[in-house]
Amino acid sequence: MAPVTEHGEEMYALVERLYPLCRSITGDGVRATLDIVGEYIPLDVHEVPTGTQVLDWTVPQEWNIRDAYVADPEGNRVVDFAASSLHVLGYSVPVARTMPLSELRAHLHTLPDHPSWVPYRTSYYKPDWGFCLAQETLDAMPDGEYEVRIDSTLADGHLTYAEHVVPGQVADEVIVSCHVCHPALANDNMAGVAVATFLARELARETPYYTYRFIFAPGTIGAITWLARNADRVERVKHGLVLACAGDPGSLTYKQSRRGDAEIDRVLRYVLTASERPHRVTEFTPYGYDERQYCSPGFDLGVGSLTRTPYAGYPEYHTSADNLDFVSPEAMADTLAVCRDAFAVLDRNRRYLNLSPYGEPQLGRRGLYDALGGRSDTKQAQMAMLWVLNLSDGEHGLLDVAERSGLPFDTVAAAAGALHEAGLIKT
Amino acid sequence: MAPVTEHGEEMYALVERLYPLCRSITGDGVRATLDIVGEYIPLDVHEVPTGTQVLDWTVPQEWNIRDAYVADPEGNRVVDFAASSLHVLGYSVPVARTMPLSELRAHLHTLPDHPSWVPYRTSYYKPDWGFCLAQETLDAMPDGEYEVRIDSTLADGHLTYAEHVVPGQVADEVIVSCHVCHPALANDNMAGVAVATFLARELARETPYYTYRFIFAPGTIGAITWLARNADRVERVKHGLVLACAGDPGSLTYKQSRRGDAEIDRVLRYVLTASERPHRVTEFTPYGYDERQYCSPGFDLGVGSLTRTPYAGYPEYHTSADNLDFVSPEAMADTLAVCRDAFAVLDRNRRYLNLSPYGEPQLGRRGLYDALGGRSDTKQAQMAMLWVLNLSDGEHGLLDVAERSGLPFDTVAAAAGALHEAGLIKT
Amino acid sequence: MAPVTEHGEEMYALVERLYPLCRSITGDGVRATLDIVGEYIPLDVHEVPTGTQVLDWTVPQEWNIRDAYVADPEGNRVVDFAASSLHVLGYSVPVARTMPLSELRAHLHTLPDHPSWVPYRTSYYKPDWGFCLAQETLDAMPDGEYEVRIDSTLADGHLTYAEHVVPGQVADEVIVSCHVCHPALANDNMAGVAVATFLARELARETPYYTYRFIFAPGTIGAITWLARNADRVERVKHGLVLACAGDPGSLTYKQSRRGDAEIDRVLRYVLTASERPHRVTEFTPYGYDERQYCSPGFDLGVGSLTRTPYAGYPEYHTSADNLDFVSPEAMADTLAVCRDAFAVLDRNRRYLNLSPYGEPQLGRRGLYDALGGRSDTKQAQMAMLWVLNLSDGEHGLLDVAERSGLPFDTVAAAAGALHEAGLIKT
């Protein structure tokens, strides 16, 4: 296993490249983002035309933007899209006007409690335009006539999302989903995209048991589009994880699936607890990221969400302060490590059937048990075999064995391997 | 909503009128009680003849009493029914004799630990006679011959009980039951009768969902009689509450139904907790009031019991100290308020079915969702809609939604109303 | 009930007789042990030939030993089987050689952390020979040539186990199993054998409800042999207890069956808690004594294990320090008392059906209820009847009633007896 810090730096470098792009739920910013991710892992990019009905929604017009600014009465660009893609209200309709500040104010969004930060705001489904700026900037703007220009287009086009598949031994799938629609926010969600990208590479080192499907799609409408276009695939999705806010300094938070007792929930609880990391496990709520869609009652998939500090849980959330200083290589490496550990458990969490369930099979004559009897310090490997044999009744998996025995999952999985090889258990 | 204190005074005034009457499990005292209640809410009064078989029991002879006293050797009435109906052992057979105190003692009941209080005692099912008096009184009685007289009749007649129905939108019923057989005891149970009476009036202000049936009946034999005569109705009884001890200074106690997880149990637990009142929730026991009958294993109805201090839980219980000073307008108003709140939740606790369960429906185009995205302070009303949609899978009701979301039940119910109006959910 | 201390002394006397015998999983030591037990209770002794296939195992050759020693260069027997049967590695093949200490060392087992104690070691299934001795002894052994002699035989013969049955009213069985294969260890398991022996005598005083089968068999292979030869009987085994380590100074430990909620588990938890003894209840693990076999997934019997300090839980475990000083009459008497109490509960834990389940039956006219009403100090016996009636719905047994009511099991059982006699409940 490569040193964790090395991947941290690589992921950070990816975030640095992705961060400045002007993403939205459609448009060239998403495409540019996927182009860069595609340099790391091959992507299947899907383009879904405007107007396509997806579940209860309709794919909207595509939004693209070239320039936007507010110029003061002396012609100075006091708010400038070129400085940060956050400055323009997402999905702003084009505008080219002059108006007094008093009229302009209704289109200006600030954060009075954080006067130096720029908020992130959108208006996807109601035609509007606006600018986001620091309260300090607004306070310094004199009365007078302002030139307002947004050089954007809203036109029939496409919604873009991408998939990357790591083929497994079985067709049953695990999905890893992260949103790619937020503009210059580092933690939310370029850190998630970077962790997902490197996770995909790690999983491909050996053929996993499950097939792992990575989905990079705009929030809400992207997940809904994927679900609409994959109705026949959904029943193959056995587990899933929504990855977001993967790089901030906070400790990890796992938000359980709607089912609460899905296997992914048990795996994450186990791995986070066993690792002795500080962490939190929270109940499902129908808010947050795209677990909202995967866990809608019609689908009710076993999909949880892993973040560090969760949705709206930090002051920098959805502001310009969620920048490259807010995320770190160490934090992303830590998130990646937990994802790998969790999928390593999930991938081996088989149920076996004891083929010799009446009494214990004689392990000794199979070379699986110490010949010298009477000692009180029985080895973990032998205990793990007894546990696997005892619980392999078709109702318990190896995670059950690890939890009930208190033995490390790896020890339990190795014991199952030895017993399987000896023909004492079968899947 | 009328000020709580006003209802308190009205209920107290009703208790004042009912308190002195000599009630028992049959007889004119019960009829007089129901006459007074009938001035507040219309009552259906039922008269069931002596000898009628009711489940395992038989309606006993009717007991009436005109006078009773013990006169000392000098002719002073030292124990006098005219002063308090508690003074005579309930269901005493007639007696007119003279006897020495030594012989009389076997028929005198006192409370040595509370020498100034008169106990309440009965002998319904074994012919007997006796007097209840203060230990102080007994101690002051000189030896000598006493005149003993009980001018009572035990004769074929009727058992009397009454019903009041608040018609609802559906035939499914909620029963509210309180015992009317105790003589001059204020908390037990004229306070319960008064709260039930005003609760009935409040429920009738708007047509409730359920049909609410109020039962005013003597304890044990009355409830058994009602159950015997309503065998075909019992399956319509979905929920119920036995009301007793509704006016004492203690905090509220909800005793759960035998099932423990009946909807009424969940509702009372929720309402008491959400209201932040000090309160206790206790397990079912087959002792107490008429929940004993409603929760017998053959019926096993979802009927709990609401009291302030519960059965036998206060020293004044079943003594002359349970008088008009022991109950207060404020306590009864508080009990009434919790009953109203509980039935307001119960009455709206529907299960809905999300008609758009695959992904979230697009609330924005239906005017149910803010157009401006990106803000972290989502409104409660929107959160409530997302919760209702997410849990409306046919298995969760609105109380589930309120409990899991932490949102107020009223907010959840309002969200369900808006979604229902928008055609997104159905019952 | 005989004074507990008397049985204690009798059990201790039995342990004293059994302790020195050289037991193993086969051989004359087991036979001699069963002969002595057979003086107390009649035993059915079974002899199963070498080579018999029992489940996944094969009955091994029979091992017998007459003498064994290590003599130092001067001819002194520094390790001598005659002093303690622990000195020889169980199932040692015969040996008669002279060898230097350096070569001998590989066959010598000591406990460096407890230099004066002799360990207990075996090699049942791999041909080997060896001696167990104190580290102190080894340290004092000079270099030089040692005479090594083990006069043992490994030959076709039999595996021996015994049964004792206390016939009950029904054919359903409770098994009590204890291992008889350990040589000079007092607590493990001659104390268990002694408690089982006296428990059998106590149970026979009155015909119990269940049939109780006591199994005295060598560990692992003995239980496996019994299971293999009683495949048709196993479904009659409703409950069971493995008894071991029954005489040490520690408090009692009940290890639950694999099912965890078997009736025996509930009974032992209840009895230990109700008795207010210090005790521990632990989860099942597939290690320990013969509960391993009874609770293998194919059988999954409701068999728990009662010990004082559990398996490998005390330093003296499997050493010469588990001697007659380590066990006491008081500890064995205490273990016996809990077994008796537990089986007294188990044996009466019937489910009854209330024949008058609609409302309460009128207990008064059947002489089961106080005539005088109104008192707040209802008697336990009456409460117990109300509880039994209320819970006798075919789903709750008397232990449920005792647990939910908080009333003593004996009171509950007596109430059930009275109700049964009155024809109000049936089994």
Side-chain angles (χ1 to χ4, degrees):
Chain A
M1 175 168 145
V4 163
T5 49
E6 185 181 337
H7 280 313
E9 296 294 345
E10 291 174 84
M11 290 188 285
Y12 191 83
L14 174 54
V15 172
E16 282 182 308
R17 292 180 65 192
L18 298 171
Y19 172 71
L21 299 175
C22 179
R23 279 165 294 269
S24 188
I25 54 172
T26 61
D28 291 333
V30 173
R31 290 189 191 94
T33 298
L34 298 176
D35 281 350
I36 293 173
V37 171
E39 296 175 20
Y40 292 75
I41 52 175
L43 292 182
D44 245 347
V45 178
H46 302 262
E47 298 278 355
V48 185
T50 296
T52 304
Q53 183 73 16
V54 285
L55 304 178
D56 187 62
W57 301 59
T58 306
V59 172
Q61 286 196 312
E62 183 176 327
W63 183 66
N64 283 295
I65 181 165
R66 287 154 293 279
D67 193 15
Y69 60 85
V70 174
D72 71 11
E74 304 193 348
N76 301 311
R77 292 192 174 192
V78 290
V79 185
D80 192 349
F81 172 76
S84 166
S85 55
L86 287 179
H87 278 310
V88 72
L89 177 76
Y91 257 62
S92 279
V93 296
V95 60
R97 289 177 54 192
T98 301
M99 62 180 69
L101 179 57
S102 57
E103 188 181 337
L104 177 58
R105 278 184 189 276
H107 294 275
L108 300 182
H109 303 279
T110 66
L111 292 168
D113 289 347
H114 295 284
S116 65
W117 295 356
V118 178
Y120 162 54
R121 295 287 179 270
T122 64
S123 186
Y124 297 136
Y125 298 104
K126 183 187 167 196
D128 196 1
W129 62 268
F131 289 88
C132 301
L133 65 159
Q135 181 69 39
E136 292 173 349
T137 307
L138 177 57
D139 292 344
M141 283 162 65
D143 282 337
E145 289 291 306
Y146 282 78
E147 184 193 352
V148 175
R149 178 160 165 78
I150 298 178
D151 178 14
S152 66
T153 44
L154 269 162
D156 284 358
H158 295 83
L159 175 147
T160 311
Y161 71 89
E163 293 176 289
H164 168 82
V165 173
V166 181
Q169 300 167 35
V170 296
D172 287 346
E173 294 197 359
V174 179
I175 58 170
V176 178
S177 178
C178 40
H179 61 283
V180 294
C181 53
H182 287 19
L185 302 174
N187 193 42
D188 180 14
N189 189 32
M190 291 308 104
V193 168
V195 170
T197 301
F198 280 77
L199 179 58
R201 300 216 309 199
E202 293 296 313
L203 282 168
R205 287 176 184 271
E206 295 180 20
T207 303
Y209 177 76
Y210 290 111
T211 293
Y212 286 78
R213 179 175 303 271
F214 289 76
I215 302 168
F216 300 93
T220 305
I221 185 71
I224 283 170
T225 299
W226 186 87
L227 284 163
R229 290 162 56 98
N230 288 277
D232 56 339
R233 182 184 305 281
V234 163
E235 69 182 24
R236 264 194 259 163
V237 175
K238 302 303 180 194
H239 320 283
L241 202 55
V242 169
L243 265 181
C245 301
D248 71 74
S251 54
L252 284 159
T253 300
Y254 177 67
K255 173 182 163 181
Q256 299 183 110
S257 78
R258 181 180 184 272
R259 283 146 55 180
D261 63 348
E263 194 173 332
I264 190 76
D265 300 323
R266 295 191 53 218
V267 166
L268 265 292
R269 288 196 303 251
Y270 174 78
V271 165
L272 286 167
T273 301
S275 77
E276 300 186 352
R277 277 176 176 83
H279 70 274
R280 285 193 307 162
V281 174
T282 64
E283 297 293 319
F284 177 77
T285 70
Y287 206 56
Y289 295 106
D290 284 328
E291 65 275 13
R292 291 163 68 162
Q293 311 309 328
Y294 301 119
C295 297
S296 55
F299 294 115
D300 199 19
L301 298 176
V303 174
S305 169
L306 187 68
T307 60
R308 301 193 74 82
T309 308
Y311 186 91
Y314 45 95
E316 298 84 355
Y317 173 79
H318 278 195
T319 77
S320 56
D322 177 1
N323 57 28
L324 290 168
D325 292 337
F326 189 59
V327 300
S328 71
E330 294 73 22
M332 285 189 279
D334 185 63
T335 307
L336 175 63
V338 165
C339 290
R340 287 171 58 171
D341 289 352
F343 287 159
V345 169
L346 180 69
D347 221 57
R348 288 177 291 168
N349 187 26
R350 298 278 81 67
R351 287 185 184 191
Y352 290 92
L353 198 65
N354 182 339
L355 296 171
S356 185
Y358 296 98
E360 289 170 16
Q362 195 181 3
L363 298 175
R365 64 173 158 90
R366 295 175 174 93
L368 298 173
Y369 211 77
D370 270 355
L372 183 70
R375 296 176 53 153
S376 55
D377 57 335
T378 304
K379 292 170 185 155
Q380 274 203 339
Q382 290 190 15
M383 285 302 297
M385 279 188 274
L386 293 176
W387 274 106
V388 170
L389 286 167
N390 194 273
L391 290 179
S392 288
D393 54 3
E395 291 183 20
H396 298 89
L398 295 189
L399 182 56
D400 294 306
V401 177
E403 288 186 331
R404 287 184 57 168
S405 69
L407 297 167
F409 186 89
D410 285 351
T411 305
V412 169
L419 292 168
H420 192 250
E421 201 160 310
L424 285 168
I425 59 175
K426 69 167 187 181
T427 47
Chain B
M1 175 168 145
V4 162
T5 49
E6 187 181 336
H7 281 315
E9 296 294 345
E10 291 173 83
M11 290 188 285
Y12 190 84
L14 174 53
V15 172
E16 282 183 307
R17 291 179 66 191
L18 297 172
Y19 172 71
L21 299 176
C22 180
R23 280 164 294 270
S24 187
I25 55 172
T26 61
D28 291 332
V30 172
R31 290 188 189 96
T33 298
L34 298 177
D35 281 349
I36 293 173
V37 172
E39 296 175 21
Y40 292 75
I41 52 174
L43 293 181
D44 246 346
V45 178
H46 302 263
E47 297 280 354
V48 184
T50 295
T52 304
Q53 182 74 14
V54 285
L55 304 178
D56 187 61
W57 301 59
T58 307
V59 172
Q61 286 196 311
E62 182 175 328
W63 183 66
N64 283 296
I65 181 165
R66 286 154 295 280
D67 194 14
Y69 60 87
V70 174
D72 70 12
E74 303 194 350
N76 302 312
R77 293 191 172 192
V78 290
V79 185
D80 193 349
F81 172 76
S84 167
S85 55
L86 287 179
H87 278 310
V88 71
L89 178 76
Y91 258 63
S92 278
V93 297
V95 61
R97 288 176 55 191
T98 301
M99 63 180 66
L101 180 57
S102 57
E103 187 182 339
L104 177 58
R105 278 184 189 277
H107 295 275
L108 300 182
H109 303 278
T110 65
L111 293 166
D113 288 348
H114 294 284
S116 65
W117 295 356
V118 178
Y120 162 53
R121 294 288 180 270
T122 63
S123 187
Y124 297 136
Y125 298 103
K126 182 187 167 199
D128 196 1
W129 63 266
F131 289 89
C132 301
L133 64 160
Q135 181 69 38
E136 292 172 348
T137 305
L138 178 57
D139 292 345
M141 283 163 65
D143 282 337
E145 289 291 306
Y146 281 77
E147 184 193 351
V148 175
R149 179 162 165 75
I150 297 179
D151 178 14
S152 66
T153 44
L154 271 163
D156 285 357
H158 295 83
L159 175 147
T160 311
Y161 72 87
E163 294 176 288
H164 169 82
V165 174
V166 181
Q169 299 166 36
V170 297
D172 287 347
E173 292 197 1
V174 180
I175 58 171
V176 178
S177 177
C178 40
H179 61 284
V180 294
C181 53
H182 287 19
L185 302 173
N187 193 43
D188 180 13
N189 191 31
M190 290 308 104
V193 168
V195 170
T197 301
F198 279 78
L199 179 58
R201 299 213 315 196
E202 293 295 313
L203 282 167
R205 286 176 186 273
E206 294 179 20
T207 304
Y209 177 75
Y210 290 112
T211 293
Y212 286 78
R213 180 175 303 270
F214 289 78
I215 302 169
F216 300 93
T220 306
I221 185 72
I224 283 170
T225 299
W226 187 87
L227 285 162
R229 290 162 55 96
N230 289 276
D232 56 338
R233 182 184 305 282
V234 163
E235 68 182 24
R236 264 194 259 163
V237 175
K238 302 304 179 192
H239 320 283
L241 202 56
V242 169
L243 264 180
C245 302
D248 72 73
S251 54
L252 285 159
T253 301
Y254 177 67
K255 173 181 162 181
Q256 298 183 112
S257 78
R258 180 180 186 273
R259 284 146 56 180
D261 63 349
E263 193 173 334
I264 191 77
D265 300 325
R266 296 190 52 219
V267 166
L268 264 292
R269 288 196 304 252
Y270 174 79
V271 165
L272 285 167
T273 302
S275 77
E276 299 186 351
R277 278 175 176 82
H279 71 274
R280 287 193 306 164
V281 174
T282 64
E283 297 293 320
F284 178 76
T285 71
Y287 207 57
Y289 294 105
D290 284 327
E291 65 275 12
R292 292 163 68 162
Q293 311 310 327
Y294 301 120
C295 297
S296 55
F299 294 115
D300 200 19
L301 298 176
V303 174
S305 170
L306 186 68
T307 59
R308 301 194 73 82
T309 308
Y311 187 90
Y314 45 96
E316 298 84 353
Y317 173 79
H318 278 194
T319 78
S320 56
D322 178 1
N323 58 27
L324 290 168
D325 292 336
F326 188 59
V327 299
S328 71
E330 294 73 22
M332 287 189 278
D334 185 64
T335 307
L336 175 63
V338 165
C339 290
R340 287 171 57 173
D341 289 353
F343 288 158
V345 169
L346 181 69
D347 221 57
R348 287 176 292 168
N349 187 26
R350 299 277 82 66
R351 287 185 185 191
Y352 291 91
L353 198 64
N354 182 340
L355 297 171
S356 185
Y358 296 99
E360 290 171 15
Q362 194 181 4
L363 298 175
R365 65 173 158 91
R366 294 173 175 95
L368 299 174
Y369 212 77
D370 269 355
L372 184 69
R375 297 176 54 153
S376 55
D377 57 336
T378 304
K379 291 171 184 155
Q380 274 204 337
Q382 290 190 15
M383 286 302 296
M385 279 188 274
L386 293 177
W387 273 107
V388 170
L389 286 167
N390 194 273
L391 290 179
S392 288
D393 54 4
E395 292 184 17
H396 297 89
L398 295 189
L399 182 56
D400 294 306
V401 177
E403 287 186 331
R404 287 183 58 167
S405 68
L407 297 167
F409 186 89
D410 285 350
T411 305
V412 168
L419 292 168
H420 191 250
E421 201 160 309
L424 286 167
I425 60 176
K426 70 168 185 180
T427 47
Chain C
M1 174 168 148
V4 161
T5 51
E6 186 181 336
H7 280 314
E9 296 295 344
E10 292 174 83
M11 290 189 285
Y12 190 84
L14 174 53
V15 172
E16 283 183 307
R17 292 179 66 191
L18 297 171
Y19 173 71
L21 301 175
C22 179
R23 281 165 293 271
S24 187
I25 54 172
T26 61
D28 291 332
V30 173
R31 290 188 189 96
T33 298
L34 298 176
D35 281 348
I36 293 173
V37 171
E39 296 175 21
Y40 292 74
I41 52 174
L43 292 183
D44 246 348
V45 178
H46 302 263
E47 298 278 355
V48 185
T50 295
T52 304
Q53 182 75 14
V54 286
L55 304 178
D56 187 61
W57 301 60
T58 307
V59 172
Q61 286 196 312
E62 183 176 326
W63 182 67
N64 284 295
I65 180 165
R66 285 153 297 280
D67 194 15
Y69 60 86
V70 174
D72 69 14
E74 305 193 349
N76 301 311
R77 294 193 173 190
V78 290
V79 185
D80 192 349
F81 172 76
S84 166
S85 55
L86 286 180
H87 278 309
V88 71
L89 178 76
Y91 258 62
S92 278
V93 297
V95 62
R97 289 176 54 193
T98 302
M99 62 181 68
L101 180 58
S102 57
E103 187 182 339
L104 177 58
R105 279 184 189 277
H107 295 274
L108 300 182
H109 303 279
T110 65
L111 292 167
D113 289 347
H114 294 283
S116 65
W117 296 355
V118 178
Y120 162 55
R121 294 287 181 270
T122 63
S123 186
Y124 298 136
Y125 299 104
K126 182 187 169 198
D128 196 1
W129 63 267
F131 289 88
C132 302
L133 64 159
Q135 181 68 40
E136 292 172 349
T137 307
L138 177 57
D139 292 344
M141 284 164 63
D143 282 337
E145 289 291 305
Y146 282 77
E147 182 192 354
V148 175
R149 176 159 167 78
I150 297 179
D151 178 14
S152 66
T153 44
L154 269 163
D156 284 357
H158 295 83
L159 175 146
T160 311
Y161 71 88
E163 292 177 289
H164 168 81
V165 173
V166 180
Q169 300 166 34
V170 297
D172 286 346
E173 293 196 359
V174 179
I175 58 170
V176 178
S177 178
C178 40
H179 61 283
V180 294
C181 53
H182 287 18
L185 302 173
N187 192 43
D188 180 13
N189 189 31
M190 290 307 104
V193 169
V195 170
T197 301
F198 279 78
L199 179 59
R201 299 215 313 197
E202 293 295 313
L203 282 168
R205 287 176 186 272
E206 294 180 20
T207 304
Y209 178 76
Y210 290 111
T211 292
Y212 287 78
R213 180 176 303 271
F214 289 76
I215 302 168
F216 300 92
T220 305
I221 185 72
I224 282 169
T225 299
W226 186 88
L227 284 163
R229 290 162 56 96
N230 289 276
D232 56 339
R233 183 184 303 284
V234 163
E235 70 183 24
R236 264 194 260 163
V237 176
K238 302 304 179 194
H239 321 282
L241 202 57
V242 169
L243 265 180
C245 302
D248 71 73
S251 54
L252 285 158
T253 300
Y254 177 67
K255 173 182 163 180
Q256 298 183 110
S257 77
R258 181 180 186 272
R259 283 146 55 180
D261 63 348
E263 193 173 333
I264 190 76
D265 300 323
R266 295 192 52 218
V267 166
L268 264 293
R269 288 196 303 252
Y270 174 79
V271 165
L272 286 167
T273 302
S275 77
E276 299 186 351
R277 277 175 175 82
H279 70 275
R280 286 194 305 164
V281 174
T282 64
E283 297 293 319
F284 177 77
T285 71
Y287 206 57
Y289 296 104
D290 283 329
E291 65 275 12
R292 291 163 67 162
Q293 311 309 327
Y294 301 119
C295 297
S296 55
F299 295 116
D300 199 19
L301 298 176
V303 173
S305 169
L306 186 68
T307 60
R308 302 194 71 82
T309 308
Y311 187 90
Y314 46 97
E316 298 85 353
Y317 173 80
H318 278 195
T319 78
S320 57
D322 178 2
N323 58 26
L324 289 168
D325 292 336
F326 188 60
V327 299
S328 71
E330 294 73 22
M332 286 189 279
D334 184 63
T335 306
L336 175 63
V338 165
C339 290
R340 287 171 57 173
D341 290 352
F343 287 159
V345 169
L346 181 69
D347 221 57
R348 288 176 291 168
N349 187 26
R350 299 277 82 66
R351 287 187 185 189
Y352 291 91
L353 198 64
N354 182 339
L355 297 171
S356 185
Y358 296 98
E360 290 171 13
Q362 195 181 4
L363 298 174
R365 65 174 157 88
R366 294 172 175 95
L368 299 173
Y369 212 77
D370 270 354
L372 184 69
R375 297 176 54 153
S376 55
D377 58 334
T378 305
K379 292 170 184 156
Q380 275 203 336
Q382 291 190 15
M383 286 302 296
M385 280 188 273
L386 293 177
W387 273 107
V388 170
L389 286 167
N390 194 273
L391 290 179
S392 288
D393 55 4
E395 292 182 18
H396 298 89
L398 295 188
L399 182 56
D400 294 305
V401 177
E403 288 185 331
R404 288 185 55 168
S405 69
L407 296 167
F409 186 88
D410 285 350
T411 305
V412 169
L419 292 168
H420 192 250
E421 200 160 311
L424 286 168
I425 59 176
K426 70 167 186 180
T427 46

